[in-house]
């Protein structure tokens, strides 16, 4: 408060000495009346001392000088304090003082929770080292084509990884392995090699028939011993197909047909009996295969196919990829340390993990993930592999629950030197050694399919914690849910085995990803026509929104015109936008619940569509900046999920990866000119009444442009909307539209035909004189009166009063119709 020049602060000493508060206030009022009240008057310490004696302004209206100064000082420096309390009133030393500031209460920030298989609960995700996240994911065993079960895991983990990295801004180090040494690979590689050798020998028809019969003997024994219904069904199908292919060749040989006809039958039988003969050849000659390169050729080929499939699915590559064949020395050292720590033992050249010893240790626990499955011998044997469950191998273990860390190689198997003799790694040890080498004694996340929990991941945990002598090798274990095919387990025996390449022939990578996003990553996903139809409709729904927003943004405006005044509709939509962003954030924090996210995004787009429709109804343009913000946000989220490629700035790309921006920016100006020219021509054609020109304009829209991937949408009173859309989508829409129109045409024709028949029937009925209408009904009546009315029924009994009344009513109605007929002109409507 700046005071007037030369103003002296009053002497308050005599006033402060007055003991009576009322008298003191009166004296203070008199002193203040001698001072001019100027906003910003410089306060002295005497002023402060005087007013700290007052707890409230005086109620007496005559003391208004005191009350006015009290409130003025209170507004500037805060309320005065009670007697004996420290007061906030301080001298300002000639300048205005800011009032005290209090921070807002705020809300508690939402924290990311992940479903941890180690606890079977959603846990707060806390990385061990700041924002850095170490993550190991079990990769494929590469011996065959990647299928939709693989897609289930790797697309789901790709979504989770992208969300942690790009949404929550964690620094994710993602490691994945390739299992290229495994019982399945060894057996399949030998079978392929031996069958190729068999084909090179070009067996004669008689020899082939003999070999097939020889192969059927052990095959039928295996079939009879198989109890698994799916496997049994598959073996029965092989047997049936082989028998069907065998009969024509047997007849051809017996009939001494020409070589070409016999060779054709031979080719068919070789194709159908490939699995049967391969298994038989392996059982008889497999031990003779000694070239290690045979066992690397197969996994190398299928690994390449796997990477191509992942690239086609837009799955990010791992930061580091490990192959078992490249980590054998590390695996040997890993196994040796487990033995040295007392948790492994050597038996007949193999090394086994001592589960009982490990479980009895105070600092360790076996079966952390699925403790109820410990002792499940079927699951344990599947984990050991088909080549490792013979009676002699099982007898090497101290306990049936023990599992192989290192397997002594038998003839016909690849081998590497080690302290225990030539051998090869066990399945479970591979991941432990490779992950331990790269990620150390404890990682943040380990991921894999639900079916890997036991024994694979439980055994990984045990042997790794035995190696590191800790109890925290994995902090969070994430398992993706199963995948079913139309409600059934995917199986070759059920003929519902779908490879990734087959799936991509029917649907795009984006559509598959959208289907996965619309389901929880940890629950079972059913891959079916209904699931994919939902994904297709969702994609179409979002794409139409993006195309509509792009059309709005293409409307020419000056630089200031892009900022428009907001009304209630814009404020409401913006509020909904922020509410949906909050809901989406909360859903992502809740175990990356993409299903809820997709529903919230759908709801947001629906609100936008309602807003745009309302603006269109009153012939007003929607607010471009607001819609652009929403569309960019949705694009950003879809990019995070991997459903939109990076080069697309807004909405889904047009024309495929890498071409979107160039195509749209290049083509759109020309299409806009074409649209405006067409609109001008249509206007003239309507004014001049030239229907042929309007028909040509419609043909351009409906027949020509869809072939080029262009959609024109005409709206009464508004400019034509121009959209670039996938050509196949437009052609499909056009065909569906034609089918709907054809259905309407058929229904219209059918309605006209029925109407014509009804009118013809009515006319025929009108032509009958009432006196003749009952005469033909001899099955009902036997006698009639002079007017043609029935009097007796077919049995000769006189009609009852009710019956007579009924026929008379019908007679009168017909009489009325007949009169109408007689009054009709000769060329009337019914002629």
């Amino acid at each position: 408060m700046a005071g007037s020049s030369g103003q002296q602060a009053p002497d308050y000493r005599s006033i402060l000495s007055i003991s009576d508060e009322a008298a003191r206030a009166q004296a203070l009022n008199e002193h203040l009346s001698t001072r001019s009240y100027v906003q910003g008057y410089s306060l002295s310490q005497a002023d402060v001392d005087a007013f700290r004696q007052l707890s409230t302004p005086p109620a007496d209206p005559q003391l208004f000088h005191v009350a006015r100064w009290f409130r003025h000082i209170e507004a500037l420096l805060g309320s005065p304090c009670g007697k004996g309390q420290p007061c906030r009133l301080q001298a300002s030393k000639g300048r205005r003082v800011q009032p005290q500031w209090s921070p807002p209460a705020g809300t508690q920030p939402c924290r990311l929770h992940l479903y941890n298989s180690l606890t079977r609960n959603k846990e707060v995700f806390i990385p061990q080292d700041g924002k850095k996240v170490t993550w190991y994911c079990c990769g494929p065993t590469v011996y065959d084509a990647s299928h939709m079960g693989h897609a289930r895991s790797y697309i789901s983990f790709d979504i989770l990884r992208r969300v942690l990295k790009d949404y929550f801004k964690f620094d994710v180090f993602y490691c994945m392995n390739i299992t290229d040494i495994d019982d399945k690979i060894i057996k399949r590689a030998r079978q392929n090699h031996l069958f190729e050798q068999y084909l090179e020998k070009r067996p004669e028809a008689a020899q082939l028939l003999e070999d097939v019969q020889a192969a059927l003997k052990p095959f039928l024994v295996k079939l009879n011993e198989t109890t698994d219904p799916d496997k049994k069904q598959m073996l029965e199908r092989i047997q049936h197909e082989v028998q069907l292919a065998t009969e024509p060749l047997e007849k051809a040989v017996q009939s001494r047909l020409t070589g070409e006809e016999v060779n054709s039958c031979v080719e068919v039988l070789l194709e159908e009996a490939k699995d049967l003969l391969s298994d038989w050849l392996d059982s008889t000659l497999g031990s003779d295969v000694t070239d290690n390169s045979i066992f690397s050729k197969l996994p190398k080929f299928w690994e390449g196919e796997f990477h191509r499939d992942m690239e086609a699915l837009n799955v990010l590559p791992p930061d580091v990829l490990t192959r078992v064949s490249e980590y054998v020395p590390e695996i040997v050292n890993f196994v040796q340390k487990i033995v040295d720590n007392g948790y492994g033992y050597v038996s007949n050249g193999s090394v086994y993990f001592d589960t009982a010893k490990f479980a009895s240790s105070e600092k360790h626990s076996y079966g952390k993930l699925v403790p109820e499955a410990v002792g499940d011998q079927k699951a344990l044997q599947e984990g050991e592999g088909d080549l490792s469950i013979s009676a002699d191998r099982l007898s090497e273990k101290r306990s049936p629950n023990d599992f192989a860390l290192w397997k002594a190689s038998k003839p016909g198997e690849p081998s590497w030197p080690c302290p225990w003799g030539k051998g090869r790694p066990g399945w479970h040890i591979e991941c432990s050694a490779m992950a331990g080498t790269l990620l150390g004694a404890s990682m943040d996340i380990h991921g894999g399919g639900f079916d890997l929990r036991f024994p694979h991941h439980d055994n990984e945990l045990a042997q790794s914690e035995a190696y590191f002598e800790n109890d925290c090798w994995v902090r969070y274990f994430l398992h993706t849910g199963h995948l079913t095919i139309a409600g059934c387990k995917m199986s070759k025996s059920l003929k519902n085995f779908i490879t990734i390449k087959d799936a991509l022939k029917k649907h795009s990578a984006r559509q598959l990803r959208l289907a996965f996003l619309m389901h929880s990553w940890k629950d079972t996903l059913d891959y079916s026509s209904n699931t994919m139809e939902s994904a297709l409709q969702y994609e179409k729904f979002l794409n139409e929104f993006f195309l509509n927003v792009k059309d709005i943004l293409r409307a020419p405006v000056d630089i200031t015109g892009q900022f428009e005044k907001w009304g209630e509709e814009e404020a409401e939509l913006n509020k909904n936008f922020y509410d949906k962003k909050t809901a989406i954030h909360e859903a992502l924090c809740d175990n990356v619940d993409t299903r809820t996210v997709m529903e919230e995004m759908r709801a947001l787009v629906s609100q936008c569509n309602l807003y745009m429709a309302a603006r269109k109804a009153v012939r007003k343009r929607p607010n471009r900046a607001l819609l652009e913000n929403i569309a960019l946000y949705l694009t950003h989220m879809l990019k995070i999920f991997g459903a939109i490629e990076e080069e697309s700035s807004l909405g889904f790309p047009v024309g495929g990866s890498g071409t979107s921006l160039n195509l749209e920016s290049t083509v759109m100006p020309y299409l806009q000119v074409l649209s405006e020219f067409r609109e001008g021509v249509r206007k003239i054609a309507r004014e001049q009444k030239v229907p042929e020109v309007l028909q040509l304009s419609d043909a351009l829209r409906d027949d020509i442009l869809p072939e080029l991937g262009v959609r024109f949408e005409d709206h009464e009173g508004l400019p034509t909307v121009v959209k670039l859309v996938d050509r196949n989508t437009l052609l499909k829409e056009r065909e569906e539209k034609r089918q709907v129109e054809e259905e309407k045409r058929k229904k219209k024709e059918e309605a006209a035909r029925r109407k014509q028949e009804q009118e013809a029937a009515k006319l025929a009925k009108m032509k009958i004189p009432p006196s003749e209408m009952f005469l033909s009904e001899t099955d009902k009546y036997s006698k009639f009166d002079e007017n043609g009315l029935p009097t007796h029924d077919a049995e000769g009994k006189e009609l009852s009063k009710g019956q007579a009344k009924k026929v008379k009513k019908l007679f009168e109605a017909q009489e009325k119709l007949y009169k109408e007929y007689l009054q009709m002109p000769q060329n009337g409507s019914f002629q």
Side-chain angles (χ1 to χ4, degrees):
M1 290 184 289
S4 57
S5 178
Q7 184 76 27
Q8 296 294 321
D11 182 6
Y12 288 108
R13 283 177 293 179
S14 58
I15 296 174
L16 294 178
S17 64
I18 301 173
S19 59
D20 181 68
E21 185 171 346
R24 189 169 60 249
Q26 178 67 41
L28 182 61
N29 190 66
E30 290 175 2
H31 273 280
L32 289 173
S33 66
T34 64
R35 294 172 57 183
S36 301
Y37 175 75
V38 180
Q39 179 73 20
Y41 188 91
S42 180
L43 292 176
S44 68
Q45 187 60 49
D47 293 324
V48 173
D49 291 341
F51 279 93
R52 68 187 297 184
Q53 302 296 317
L54 302 176
S55 57
T56 59
D60 187 346
Q62 293 186 3
L63 304 178
F64 66 91
H65 291 293
V66 176
R68 183 170 58 180
W69 276 92
F70 183 95
R71 291 192 178 94
H72 179 57
I73 296 173
E74 181 184 43
L76 292 174
L77 303 180
S79 301
C81 308
K83 269 187 177 180
Q85 293 181 332
C87 189
R88 294 204 309 258
L89 292 177
Q90 299 294 332
S92 66
K93 297 183 180 179
R95 61 185 179 86
R96 191 186 297 266
V97 180
Q98 285 184 309
Q100 185 178 2
W101 176 84
S102 299
T107 57
Q108 190 67 24
C110 188
R111 301 184 68 184
L112 172 62
H113 289 67
L114 293 176
Y115 183 87
N116 189 357
S117 296
L118 287 165
T119 63
R120 301 187 188 181
N121 280 305
K122 295 176 187 177
E123 308 291 353
V124 176
F125 180 62
I126 306 172
Q128 298 174 100
D129 183 12
K131 297 290 284 186
K132 181 181 178 183
V133 175
T134 52
W135 188 336
Y136 181 84
C137 181
C138 277
T141 301
V142 283
Y143 69 99
D144 206 340
S146 302
H147 50 71
M148 283 302 293
H150 293 116
R152 170 58 170 146
S153 280
Y154 299 120
I155 291 178
S156 296
F157 281 130
D158 186 63
I159 292 168
L160 290 172
R161 176 187 175 190
R162 288 171 182 267
V163 169
L164 262 66
K165 180 171 66 77
D166 298 329
Y167 186 84
F168 290 106
K169 304 302 180 183
F170 287 109
D171 185 7
V172 178
F173 180 66
Y174 192 82
C175 174
M176 189 180 78
N177 78 294
I178 293 289
T179 297
D180 58 354
I181 302 173
D182 178 81
D183 287 36
K184 295 186 183 74
I185 294 172
I186 294 167
K187 189 173 182 179
R188 180 68 62 84
R190 282 196 320 227
Q191 289 176 341
N192 289 354
H193 172 70
L194 293 170
F195 189 71
E196 287 171 7
Q197 287 187 331
Y198 184 80
L199 292 179
E200 289 173 1
K201 293 178 181 178
R202 297 183 176 276
E204 296 291 333
Q207 182 63 51
L208 175 59
L209 288 169
E210 183 181 332
D211 291 341
V212 167
Q213 292 305 314
L216 275 170
K217 291 178 182 178
F219 178 85
L220 292 174
V221 172
K222 181 180 179 181
L223 174 59
N224 292 330
E225 293 175 348
T226 300
T227 56
D228 183 278
D230 288 341
K231 289 183 180 179
K232 195 173 188 73
Q233 187 178 357
M234 182 179 68
L235 295 176
E236 287 172 343
R237 180 169 56 83
I238 292 173
Q239 181 193 16
H240 178 67
E241 290 173 351
V242 168
Q243 286 175 342
L244 289 178
T246 300
E247 291 171 4
L249 182 57
E250 289 176 335
K251 290 178 181 177
V253 171
Q254 291 169 1
S255 304
R256 300 181 183 279
L257 296 178
T258 61
E260 187 175 334
E261 291 172 304
V262 171
N263 288 340
S264 176
C265 293
V266 166
E267 292 297 325
V268 172
L269 181 56
L270 282 170
E271 180 64 30
E272 297 298 339
K274 179 181 177 180
D275 291 342
L276 177 77
L277 288 169
S278 296
D279 204 29
W280 173 67
L281 291 167
D282 185 55
S283 64
T284 55
L285 303 172
S287 59
D288 297 336
V289 177
T290 56
D291 185 357
N292 265 15
S293 65
I294 292 169
F295 303 109
S296 61
K297 179 182 175 183
L298 177 78
K300 185 176 182 180
F301 171 80
W302 286 117
E303 182 192 335
E305 291 298 296
F306 170 77
H307 291 314
R308 279 184 277 274
D309 287 342
M310 293 301 103
E311 184 178 5
L313 291 172
N314 196 31
V315 172
L316 294 173
D319 294 312
V320 60
L321 184 95
T322 62
R323 299 181 184 88
V324 178
S325 59
E326 298 172 348
Y327 278 78
V328 172
E330 288 84 353
I331 292 170
V332 171
N333 292 335
F334 207 91
V335 172
Q336 184 62 63
K337 187 173 179 183
I338 292 174
V339 173
D340 294 343
N341 288 347
Y343 299 110
Y345 59 91
V346 181
S347 179
N348 200 24
S350 295
V351 184
Y352 294 96
F353 188 83
D354 193 332
T355 54
K357 179 75 175 294
F358 181 80
S360 64
S361 170
E362 289 184 2
K363 56 186 175 182
H364 295 305
S365 177
Y366 180 63
K368 285 183 171 183
L369 291 167
V370 196
E372 62 270 23
V374 173
D376 183 344
Q377 291 305 305
K378 181 182 178 183
L380 287 166
Q381 289 183 19
E382 287 179 358
E384 292 294 80
D386 290 343
L387 303 179
S388 309
I389 55 173
S390 59
D392 58 328
R393 278 284 167 92
L394 294 175
S395 65
E396 296 172 356
K397 299 181 180 182
R398 293 177 181 173
S399 165
N401 293 339
D402 294 350
F403 55 90
L405 299 171
W406 184 266
K407 302 175 181 180
S409 291
K410 295 183 289 188
E413 296 179 1
S415 62
W416 286 264
C418 68
W420 319 287
K422 286 191 173 182
R424 57 190 177 88
W427 178 34
H428 313 301
I429 197 68
E430 300 168 352
C431 291
S432 293
M434 293 186 291
T437 300
L438 289 170
L439 305 180
S442 183
M443 70 183 77
D444 294 304
I445 297 175
H446 192 320
F450 185 82
D451 55 334
L452 295 179
R453 295 179 311 152
F454 185 88
H456 186 52
H457 287 158
D458 264 326
N459 288 351
E460 272 189 44
L461 283 165
Q463 62 201 9
S464 300
E465 291 173 358
Y467 175 89
F468 289 109
E469 285 288 13
N470 65 12
D471 192 40
C472 56
W473 185 58
V474 174
R475 298 294 186 171
Y476 298 83
F477 234 125
L478 310 184
H479 289 101
T480 54
H482 285 300
L483 179 124
T484 56
I485 307 294
C488 300
K489 177 184 176 182
M490 186 170 65
S491 168
K492 288 184 177 179
S493 62
L494 299 176
K495 294 187 177 180
N496 65 356
F497 187 84
I498 301 174
T499 66
I500 290 173
K501 285 183 172 59
D502 289 338
L504 286 171
K505 289 175 184 176
K506 297 178 68 176
H507 299 103
S508 69
R510 182 196 303 144
Q511 290 161 355
L512 291 172
R513 187 171 287 251
L514 288 173
F516 284 32
L517 284 164
M518 294 168 76
H519 293 78
S520 167
W521 61 267
K522 76 176 189 65
D523 297 331
T524 297
L525 185 148
D526 186 45
Y527 178 71
S528 64
S529 57
N530 288 339
T531 299
M532 292 313 302
E533 182 60 28
S534 296
L536 290 171
Q537 291 303 318
Y538 193 94
E539 179 190 42
K540 183 178 180 181
F541 178 72
L542 284 183
N543 195 39
E544 284 301 311
F545 168 70
F546 288 134
L547 292 173
N548 287 328
V549 173
K550 285 180 180 180
D551 179 71
I552 291 169
L553 296 179
R554 278 195 296 270
V557 292
D558 58 34
I559 194 166
T560 58
Q562 60 187 310
F563 302 105
E564 303 158 285
K565 180 183 178 182
W566 281 21
E568 290 182 9
E569 299 94 337
E570 287 77 22
E572 180 66 22
L573 180 58
N574 191 59
K575 179 182 181 301
N576 289 334
F577 175 31
Y578 277 82
D579 287 345
K580 292 303 176 189
K581 286 206 288 188
T582 299
I584 286 169
H585 177 68
E586 290 173 352
L588 289 176
C589 286
D590 184 15
N591 196 38
V592 191
D593 180 8
T594 58
R595 180 175 182 172
T596 298
V597 169
M598 300 297 273
E599 291 171 355
E600 296 291 352
M601 288 170 60
R602 186 201 298 273
L604 176 58
V605 172
S606 295
Q607 291 166 350
C608 291
N609 289 341
L610 289 173
Y611 165 72
M612 288 189 285
R615 301 295 288 177
K616 179 180 174 183
V618 295
R619 300 286 191 271
K620 290 184 178 179
R621 274 282 192 183
N623 188 287
R624 55 190 291 143
L626 176 56
L627 288 173
E628 183 179 20
N629 283 341
I630 294 172
L632 287 172
Y633 169 76
L634 293 171
T635 301
H636 173 66
M637 294 307 301
L638 290 167
K639 279 184 179 180
I640 287 175
F641 296 148
I644 291 183
E645 292 78 358
E646 285 299 319
E647 64 265 20
S648 176
S649 58
L650 192 154
F652 296 130
V654 180
S657 179
T659 64
S660 172
L661 293 179
N662 292 335
L663 180 66
E664 197 157 7
S665 60
T666 303
V667 171
M668 266 303 173
Y670 298 98
L671 291 176
Q672 204 68 44
V673 170
L674 174 63
S675 170
E676 292 168 4
F677 175 76
R678 173 177 170 272
E679 187 57 41
V681 169
R682 290 175 72 215
K683 182 180 179 183
I684 295 171
R686 282 194 294 268
E687 292 171 352
Q688 301 296 325
K689 297 182 180 179
V690 188
E692 294 82 4
V693 173
L694 292 174
Q695 290 170 4
L696 287 171
S697 177
D698 289 347
L700 174 68
R701 178 194 65 201
D702 299 334
D703 301 326
I704 299 172
L705 291 178
E707 293 284 351
L708 303 173
V710 178
R711 183 198 290 154
F712 276 10
E713 294 179 359
D714 295 326
H715 300 284
E716 189 65 33
L718 292 172
T720 297
V721 176
V722 183
K723 296 179 179 179
L724 281 181
V725 186
D726 175 66
R727 176 179 177 271
N728 292 332
T729 300
L730 287 180
L731 296 183
K732 184 180 177 183
E733 287 178 0
R734 186 174 69 182
E735 184 59 31
E736 289 173 353
K737 183 179 177 182
R738 285 176 178 172
Q739 289 176 1
V740 170
E741 290 174 350
E742 179 65 17
E743 192 66 29
K744 285 183 180 178
R745 185 187 65 78
K746 288 181 179 179
K747 286 182 179 179
K748 188 176 179 180
E749 289 179 355
E750 179 64 20
R753 185 187 62 77
R754 284 199 301 268
K755 184 178 180 182
Q756 190 174 12
E757 288 176 353
Q758 290 169 357
E759 290 177 345
K762 182 179 179 181
L763 178 61
K765 185 178 180 181
M766 291 175 73
K767 287 180 178 180
I768 301 172
S771 58
E772 298 176 7
M773 66 180 294
F774 295 113
L775 298 179
S776 60
E777 298 180 18
T778 54
D779 58 328
K780 294 181 180 179
Y781 312 109
S782 59
K783 290 184 180 181
F784 306 87
D785 66 11
E786 65 277 8
N787 295 322
L789 276 168
T791 57
H792 293 73
D793 62 18
E795 297 176 357
K797 293 180 181 178
E798 188 175 353
L799 297 181
S800 66
K801 287 184 179 180
Q803 290 174 322
K805 186 176 180 181
K806 183 179 179 182
V807 295
K808 187 175 181 181
K809 191 174 181 181
L810 292 172
F811 182 88
E812 291 171 349
Q814 182 61 29
E815 193 174 34
K816 185 179 178 182
L817 282 174
Y818 187 65
K819 284 181 180 178
E820 288 180 15
Y821 170 70
L822 294 176
Q823 292 172 1
M824 290 171 61
Q826 187 173 358
N827 297 317
S829 59
F830 290 99
Q831 296 298 316

